[in-house]
Structure formats: structure tokens, C-alpha cells
Amino acid sequence: MGRGSSIGRTASWRTRTAYLQGGLDFPLHDEARPGKPKQDEADAEAQIAVLTCLAVRWWMGRTFRSIVLSERNAHSTLASAS
């Protein structure tokens, strides 16, 4: 893989090896492996929705606070200029 790629050398090598051993379908369709079971798609979608809502709420809170602070600064600046 070239520079700037988000895929590491090891992952690239393993995918290439899997392709050479089993054809195109082999690296594209992972076999079950020991360890943590795959998460259900509905669970994954729900988790993404929750994280998105939290991110939007965080962003809105920051935006609202910056607007309030800007208004306060504007009022205090106008008051001190008078």
C-alpha cells in the first residue's frame, strides 16, 4: 500500500495472502473466529444513533454557550462605551 493509505502493511499482506489462497470470496467474507462475537446490526445502528445524538447535543451546547458569551461581551462592550 502506498503512503497516505489508511490500511497498514500487515492488513494488506494478510488480505493479499487470503486472496492468493482462496480466491476473491475468501478475503471478502471473513470466517468466524474465536473472541468477541460480532455485534448485531440493529445494535450497531442503535449505538451509532446514540453517538450521533450525543455529538449533536455536545455541538449545540458549545454553539449556544458561544452565542450567549458573545452577546454578553457585546452588551458589556456597549455598556462600557456609553
Side-chain angles (χ1 to χ4, degrees):
M1 295 262 93
R3 287 187 194 142
S5 175
S6 61
I7 298 174
R9 243 192 270 173
T10 304
S12 175
W13 178 80
R14 286 183 181 153
T15 304
R16 178 183 174 275
T17 303
Y19 170 73
L20 292 174
Q21 288 176 352
L24 184 58
D25 284 336
F26 191 73
L28 293 179
H29 304 288
D30 255 349
E31 292 180 10
R33 293 179 291 215
K36 186 176 178 182
K38 270 191 163 182
Q39 197 173 26
D40 185 31
E41 280 189 40
D43 288 343
E45 287 177 7
Q47 190 174 18
I48 290 169
V50 167
L51 292 174
T52 302
C53 289
L54 289 173
V56 168
R57 184 176 177 193
W58 173 83
W59 181 80
M60 292 295 289
R62 285 187 57 122
T63 303
F64 180 73
R65 277 193 295 279
S66 67
I67 290 170
V68 169
L69 291 175
S70 295
E71 286 181 6
R72 286 181 186 163
N73 289 339
H75 289 295
S76 65
T77 302
L78 290 173
S80 64
S82 299

